[in-house]
Amino acid sequence: MGKKRVMVPAKDLDLSTVKYEHEVIKAPHLTGSMLKLFVRMVEAPVLGSLIMSFLKKQNKMVEMLQNTVIPEAPMFKPEFPPQDAEPSVVIVDEERKPEDRVELALKCLPHYDPASCWSGDSLPSFRYWKIRDYAYAYRSKLVTPSMVAEKIISIIEDCNYHKPPTPLLISFDAEDIRKQAAASTQRFEEGNPLSILDGIFMAIKDDIDCYPHPSKGATTWMHEVRSVEKDAVCVSRLRSCGVILVGKVNMHELGMGTTGNNPNYGTTRNPHALERYTGGSSSGPAAIVASGLCSAALGTDGGGSVRIPSSLCGVVGLKTTYGRTSMEGSICDAGTVEIIGPIASTVEDVILVYAAILGSSPEDRISLRPPPPCFPDLSSLENANTLGSLRLGKYTEWFNDVHSTDISDVCEDVLKLLSKSHGCETIEIVIPELHEMRTAHVVSIGSETQCSLNPDCEDGKGVKLTYDTRISMALFRSFTASDYVAAQCLRRRIMHHHMEIFKKVDVIVTPTTGMTAPKIPSSALKDGETDMQVTVHSVSAYLMRFIIAGNLLGLPAITVPVGYDKQGLPIGLQLIGRPWGEETILHLASAVEELCAKSRKKPASFYDILNIK
């Protein structure tokens, strides 16, 4: 019998007694025939439950969920205390048309000087083409959306013949792209573009509806049981701004993995190193942006799925506050940890896409009572000076718990630059109960996933899932109702701890991931791989180490590329904000991006779409 453990109420916890514990996940790493055998074992009626029970005990999940008295009441979805308005922001009415919000966001950006990017070799370092570059090229008649469309279509069709294969899109219709581009070209010829996003090429993750494409969630069967009749709300908002949607991009099956491995459609390759993973689950969105093929993409983030691949691919990924964007029209629209968020090559492009897609669902407006969204005012130097008042919270032992000190060193250098250039103060913090937070998250997202997929699995579709997904589902099936309630009690405790931290600091800073892009084992390409360590949050806990608070607590967070490790692989810095505090992390992210701009390197696989020479 396990000894009963009683937690003190969160408000009475003495932080001086908190000791940081390095996470050690005890679980097998499997590929090939051993992976298939393990799946048969965990799906066997009696043996499977014994294996899962053993693994959960080994990782202290049983002790935490069943042998612990948690004094807090459950919190079944994020509940936020009222937040003060941030300084130097532009408030936007989310009821306005998406194109009006984008116009307002555009006015908040720094002055755009076309000479800085159209004057040949004046720039010393690599630079991505931004949305405003495309807009300038279209308005100046240097190029048309139709011309760009032909270039992109040609590249996408060629991707099928690459060695190794670089599968970016799951669903793609060249004629549909040509039709959208022709309509945009005509609007420019008539001098009547819909917004700054008109003619901008974007990709949509395969778990978000984009009519007429099916939404498969990168499975082989989801489109058979779930039809797509219209765009998801976020996609509809982009379309009303004139965005050209290139199709549905690859992902880790059903979002249940952090690598991006997908035996169904092929594994997306990291543009910086084709033998390495992109990270997941928004593998395709991050890769298509990092390769220069699309200006932006939409991903979903339920366990770092926007931020992890953005960090590993060297681009910007925004996880909004839970409820800030509508999930209607996505496969995962009924959960309490997931959001739809933008991925782009620059912070300003993320701001423009965020402006288009923001807007809570009617249900979330009632239950969450979100304050009006805001944009950071980056248009004047006076507002840039407000960065000096920002207090950055850093939990040093956690911050430094990385696979390679290259990561913590690069991120630490950025904090020093922020202090030197803007006067930001870094304050030491302690975040208690990190292991409890990881456990509460995996039980929450796992139980919600199991609930949504259960009818299809009972109907025989479960055996058509990839092997690593089936192992995840076996774990999720092992969670009980009392496990789920205990996880929600932990959620309330951990929310209390974070709200106390945000009384002392404005932003929590961490590396985005604890490791850079891992190599793809050749044995994992045909049947995938399981690292139960991935499943229960640890290719290791390193990929998910720093991202859980954003999902379990619904906090906004952004990853910004800040440098490279000794192997030339991208490193991301994560900024976690207060509830509804997107404008603060976007403002700080813009400053970080500027400080690191000169170090940015061109990916090994890059398409110079706007090069019109």
Side-chain angles (χ1 to χ4, degrees):
M1 291 292 290
K3 186 180 177 185
K4 186 168 77 171
R5 170 178 167 236
V6 180
M7 301 179 91
V8 301
K11 62 184 177 59
D12 297 331
L13 183 66
D14 181 358
L15 293 183
S16 67
T17 65
V18 174
K19 299 281 190 293
Y20 181 76
E21 293 182 24
H22 176 76
E23 183 182 21
V24 179
I25 299 296
K26 297 174 182 176
H29 174 261
L30 304 166
T31 60
S33 58
M34 291 302 293
L35 170 62
K36 296 176 186 177
L37 175 63
F38 189 69
V39 170
R40 288 177 64 186
M41 290 166 63
V42 297
E43 290 183 343
V46 177
L47 181 59
S49 62
L50 289 173
I51 292 170
M52 285 302 162
S53 179
F54 175 75
L55 282 170
K56 288 193 293 184
K57 281 180 182 173
Q58 285 281 91
N59 292 287
K60 298 183 179 177
M61 295 179 77
V62 172
E63 173 193 337
M64 195 178 304
L65 296 168
Q66 296 174 16
N67 301 340
T68 300
V69 177
I70 307 166
E72 283 72 26
M75 181 170 74
F76 291 103
K77 66 192 297 188
E79 296 172 13
F80 307 124
Q83 301 296 310
D84 294 333
E86 302 289 341
S88 303
V89 297
V90 175
I91 298 173
V92 59
D93 179 1
E94 64 178 293
E95 297 285 353
R96 292 178 70 178
K97 291 181 181 177
E99 50 269 47
D100 293 340
R101 296 196 302 262
V102 169
E103 182 63 28
L104 186 60
L106 184 63
K107 291 175 181 173
C108 295
L109 299 181
H111 172 69
Y112 175 71
D113 177 15
S116 68
C117 55
W118 295 96
S119 55
D121 302 323
S122 61
L123 289 176
S125 60
F126 167 70
R127 175 187 181 280
Y128 278 97
W129 293 110
K130 297 192 289 189
I131 286 170
R132 289 197 284 180
D133 297 331
Y134 278 90
Y136 174 81
Y138 295 153
R139 284 163 175 76
S140 304
K141 297 186 168 50
L142 298 171
V143 69
T144 67
S146 289
M147 291 164 65
V148 173
E150 291 305 323
K151 198 167 183 179
I152 290 174
I153 290 166
S154 171
I155 292 166
I156 290 172
E157 290 176 343
D158 283 350
C159 281
N160 297 328
Y161 305 105
H162 286 185
K163 294 201 183 313
T166 53
L168 287 170
L169 285 113
I170 287 177
S171 181
F172 156 74
D173 182 339
E175 288 313 307
D176 182 56
I177 295 173
R178 288 188 175 105
K179 185 178 173 184
Q180 293 178 71
S184 179
T185 298
Q186 185 174 348
R187 290 192 292 270
F188 279 101
E189 286 172 354
E190 294 169 354
N192 195 28
L194 296 173
S195 78
I196 195 77
L197 297 179
D198 205 335
I200 300 302
F201 290 78
M202 285 184 58
I204 307 298
K205 189 178 178 182
D206 195 37
D207 58 355
I208 305 168
D209 292 347
C210 179
Y211 187 81
H213 301 277
S215 289
K216 301 178 182 178
T219 67
T220 57
W221 55 265
M222 180 64 75
H223 58 294
E224 297 171 4
V225 299
R226 183 183 180 280
S227 61
V228 174
E229 308 295 338
K230 60 180 181 177
D231 289 333
V233 168
C234 288
V235 174
S236 172
R237 289 169 179 166
L238 291 175
R239 213 185 279 271
S240 71
C241 295
V243 168
I244 298 172
L245 303 161
V246 302
K248 305 297 290 296
V249 270
N250 208 346
M251 59 181 284
H252 204 113
E253 187 183 62
L254 292 174
M256 275 197 245
T258 55
T259 60
N261 183 297
N262 191 311
N264 295 332
Y265 299 98
T267 294
T268 305
R269 304 294 181 131
N270 193 314
H272 288 269
L274 294 178
E275 76 282 5
R276 292 181 181 268
Y277 281 124
T278 55
S281 63
S282 304
S283 51
I288 207 166
V289 169
S291 68
L293 204 51
C294 285
S295 297
L298 288 189
T300 53
D301 192 315
S305 288
V306 160
R307 290 161 289 155
I308 291 169
S310 295
S311 177
L312 268 50
C313 292
V315 292
V316 182
L318 173 66
K319 189 238 161 244
T320 61
T321 306
Y322 176 79
R324 180 58 92 191
T325 54
S326 173
M327 293 294 292
E328 185 182 339
S330 66
I331 288 174
C332 45
D333 59 1
T336 67
V337 296
E338 195 131 13
I339 60 92
I340 293 173
I343 296 173
S345 59
T346 63
V347 174
E348 78 165 55
D349 286 358
V350 158
I351 290 172
L352 292 172
V353 178
Y354 167 61
I357 68 171
L358 67 80
S360 305
S361 68
E363 298 80 12
D364 284 338
R365 282 184 214 174
I366 293 168
S367 62
L368 297 173
R369 297 189 295 279
C374 304
F375 304 135
D377 187 354
L378 308 176
S379 61
S380 71
L381 285 173
E382 182 183 329
N383 289 318
N385 294 335
T386 60
L387 286 173
S389 64
L390 287 185
R391 299 158 301 167
L392 314 180
K394 177 191 172 198
Y395 186 11
T396 297
E397 287 179 279
W398 189 40
F399 190 99
N400 292 337
D401 190 3
V402 290
H403 188 261
S404 163
T405 54
D406 291 357
I407 295 170
S408 48
D409 289 348
V410 166
C411 291
E412 178 64 36
D413 287 345
V414 175
L415 299 187
K416 289 175 182 172
L417 278 173
L418 283 170
S419 173
K420 183 179 175 183
S421 303
H422 297 284
C424 300
E425 180 186 5
T426 300
I427 295 172
E428 185 65 28
I429 58 172
V430 172
I431 306 177
E433 301 174 359
L434 290 168
H435 185 51
E436 284 82 351
M437 177 162 68
R438 285 186 282 269
T439 300
H441 174 260
V442 75
V443 173
S444 298
I445 193 171
S447 300
E448 290 167 7
T449 300
Q450 174 65 26
C451 180
S452 66
L453 291 176
N454 206 49
D456 297 320
C457 290
E458 291 292 316
D459 203 27
K461 295 291 192 293
V463 293
K464 295 183 178 181
L465 295 167
T466 56
Y467 293 114
D468 72 312
T469 304
R470 287 164 68 178
I471 293 172
S472 294
M473 294 299 291
L475 173 67
F476 300 162
R477 278 194 299 274
S478 76
F479 296 142
T480 65
S482 63
D483 289 341
Y484 184 74
V485 173
Q488 307 321 302
C489 295
L490 289 173
R491 186 189 277 200
R492 188 176 296 278
R493 283 181 72 84
I494 293 155
M495 181 70 86
H496 172 84
H497 297 322
H498 280 73
M499 292 306 102
E500 288 299 302
I501 290 167
F502 281 120
K503 290 177 182 176
K504 300 168 193 158
V505 302
D506 302 292
V507 175
I508 297 171
V509 289
T510 73
T512 307
T513 59
M515 69 186 301
T516 51
K519 281 192 173 176
I520 305 171
S522 56
S523 58
L525 287 170
K526 182 172 180 285
D527 296 311
E529 64 176 316
T530 187
D531 197 337
M532 279 294 288
Q533 301 171 1
V534 169
T535 305
V536 291
H537 291 187
S538 160
V539 351
S540 96
Y542 287 118
L543 287 180
M544 296 188 77
R545 173 149 295 153
F546 303 109
I547 54 80
I548 301 300
N551 299 109
L552 183 69
L553 307 181
L555 301 174
I558 191 168
T559 178
V560 196
V562 289
Y564 304 84
D565 67 6
K566 290 186 179 69
Q567 300 172 88
L569 300 169
I571 294 168
L573 179 74
Q574 178 181 227
L575 311 171
I576 305 171
R578 290 190 180 95
W580 315 114
E582 282 84 358
E583 65 281 357
T584 298
I585 59 171
L586 286 166
H587 194 174
L588 187 59
S590 179
V592 168
E593 180 179 65
E594 193 175 342
L595 291 170
C596 301
K598 289 181 181 175
S599 67
R600 209 154 187 192
K601 298 174 185 173
K602 183 164 80 170
S605 176
F606 177 75
Y607 302 103
D608 193 357
I609 299 296
L610 260 193
N611 188 342
I612 47 178
K613 292 175 185 174

